Amino acid sequence: MSDYRNLLAIDTCGALGSIALARLAEGAEPLIFGQTEIPGKTYSAQLVPAIRDLLAHHSVVLPSLAAIVVTSGPGSFTGIRIGLSTAKGLAEAHSIPLLAVSRLAVLAHKAQTPAAALDASRHEFYLREGAVESLLSPELFRERAAALGPALAVCEASVHAASPRAMLVEPPAAVDALRAALPRLRACDFDDPLILNGNYLRRSDAEIFSKPALVTSQP
């Protein structure tokens, strides 16, 4: 790679998505060119045009990107799929290295805490402690949150209500994903787009609530 590297980050895991464009110089912090927010209900229609507009505004072309960073979940199943499919499509079409980061890891990095938690809906919680991520019931989460105290980072009021001693920060965005990914970017520790999958931590509602197919006997 050259001394100056253009980087694109994509985060569509939450209620509000974002993309960011930055330049990374050897041994320096990334220079953020800009970040664009994308409403969650518009990812499928707005993500690609937003990327195109952000690159054009800063006179950056896709083939010049040294890497794409994408937040791979946990979070919205639809958002994760749209973000990942877009990132993988751009990476494969233009031979751009791809790096996926956990949204929980990004939140912990942003808060500089060893643990982070997100609302998993259905009264459950996603929790990351160190490098271990899990889906917890309300009872287990409150137990772990009480033990972690301010060493736990949260970004949602619903999670903070269940862990009042946790550190409450703003939700992570694409810029935060770039910063959390810096060690791997500098080490060129990229992912294989062909086998990269979403960090869902549980099955989708469609899988959970789908009815099993009826088995009929053959004559």
Side-chain angles (χ1 to χ4, degrees):
M1 292 185 181
S2 62
D3 291 338
Y4 294 94
R5 295 173 282 175
N6 292 323
L7 307 169
L8 174 68
I10 300 171
D11 179 4
T12 55
C13 296
L16 182 67
S18 58
I19 57 172
L21 183 64
R23 175 169 290 175
L24 181 63
E26 194 66 33
E29 288 297 304
L31 172 63
I32 308 299
F33 289 159
Q35 178 169 269
T36 301
E37 292 186 345
I38 308 170
K41 299 294 185 181
T42 68
Y43 292 155
S44 59
Q46 296 298 323
L47 180 56
V48 172
I51 292 172
R52 182 184 60 236
D53 292 346
L54 182 62
L55 294 177
H57 183 74
H58 296 282
S59 301
V60 173
V61 294
L62 274 168
S64 75
L65 293 177
I68 297 173
V69 175
V70 60
T71 307
S72 59
S76 160
F77 280 82
T78 301
I80 292 170
R81 288 171 179 146
I82 292 171
L84 269 182
S85 61
T86 300
K88 291 168 71 170
L90 295 175
E92 293 180 36
H94 298 277
S95 300
I96 303 169
L98 181 63
L99 192 158
V101 290
S102 162
R103 190 167 189 244
L104 285 165
V106 174
L107 177 57
H109 182 272
K110 179 175 184 173
Q112 292 297 288
T113 56
L118 292 165
D119 191 331
S121 72
R122 295 204 296 273
H123 307 293
E124 294 177 315
F125 300 88
Y126 298 122
L127 176 68
R128 179 183 177 97
E129 290 188 70
V132 178
E133 298 187 352
S134 53
L135 177 67
L136 298 183
S137 67
E139 295 77 16
L140 285 177
F141 174 71
R142 289 189 177 90
E143 179 182 318
R144 291 306 309 142
L148 290 164
L152 174 67
V154 301
C155 63
E156 299 154 312
S158 56
V159 185
H160 196 229
S163 53
R165 294 180 58 228
M167 181 185 298
L168 180 64
V169 299
E170 290 295 315
V175 165
D176 302 305
L178 272 175
R179 291 174 176 145
L182 278 180
R184 289 183 58 195
L185 285 168
R186 291 189 170 119
C188 297
D189 179 19
F190 300 116
D191 293 295
D192 184 346
L194 295 177
I195 62 174
L196 179 61
N197 198 8
N199 179 26
Y200 299 112
L201 289 187
R202 75 172 175 203
R203 295 179 299 157
S204 68
D205 287 348
E207 293 173 306
I208 293 172
F209 297 112
S210 62
K211 295 180 180 179
L214 292 176
V215 178
T216 57
S217 59
Q218 295 297 321

